[in-house]
């Protein structure tokens, strides 16, 4: 998983939707994977509670026979918290103020969830191999015996 790409995707969602203040991605067991939250929010606690709320919401959706759960939204006096399922293994948590554009969030989150899912499943990029002992460093410029390159 590319952590930088994940955080960039979370920040893009914040930039696309008016009122989004914080985001986090966690495993469905509540373990935090990445967070872009203000200092006042405990991202580990947020991730754990959001995972629990999504688990309960999935059970409610199953009991109501309305198909698989896509999201759950909590509306409080100071704003909203939305939790989206990212496949079967992760969640996206979005926190917003009372001015958050919830319908726009649902539209933008649909594609963000797909991209986040792809990032989570992608292998970690391979690091550049370290030169072995006795390796000769590559020259800074190309070999140019004729002086053509200047």
């Amino acid at each position: 998983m590319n952590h930088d790409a994940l955080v960039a995707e979370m920040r893009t969602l914040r930039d696309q939707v008016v009122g989004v203040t914080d985001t986090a991605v966690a495993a469905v067991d509540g373990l935090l994977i990445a967070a872009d939250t203000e200092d006042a929010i405990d991202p580990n606690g947020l991730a754990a509670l959001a995972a629990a709320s999504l688990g309960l919401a999935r059970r409610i959706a199953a009991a109501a026979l309305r198909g698989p759960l896509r999201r759950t939204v909590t509306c409080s006096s100071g704003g909203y918290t939305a939790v989206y399922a990212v496949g079967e293994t992760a969640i996206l948590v979005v926190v917003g103020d009372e001015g958050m554009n919830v319908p726009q969030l649902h539209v933008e989150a649909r594609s963000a969830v797909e991209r986040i899912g792809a990032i989570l499943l992608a292998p970690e990029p391979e690091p550049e191999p370290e030169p072995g002992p006795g390796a000769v460093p590559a020259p800074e410029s190309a070999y140019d015996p004729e002086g053509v390159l200047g």
Side-chain angles (χ1 to χ4, degrees), residues 73-143:
V73 178
T74 302
C75 179
S76 57
S77 63
Y80 303 89
T81 303
V83 183
Y84 296 87
V86 180
E88 294 295 319
T89 60
I91 60 173
L92 167 65
V93 186
V94 180
V95 179
D97 60 26
E98 57 275 349
M100 184 169 74
N101 187 336
V102 177
Q104 181 188 8
L105 173 64
H106 294 330
V107 170
E108 299 296 340
R110 199 172 306 140
S111 58
V113 162
E114 287 181 23
R115 290 188 300 269
I116 288 169
I119 292 168
L120 292 173
L121 292 175
E124 186 71 33
E126 291 289 324
E128 290 292 321
E130 293 289 325
V136 177
E140 300 241 350
S141 62
Y143 177 69

Side-chain angles (χ1 to χ4, degrees), residues 24-34 43-52 89-91:
V25 173
V28 291
D29 63 3
L31 292 176
L32 184 66
I33 297 171
N44 290 301
L46 178 66
L49 291 169
T89 60
I91 60 173

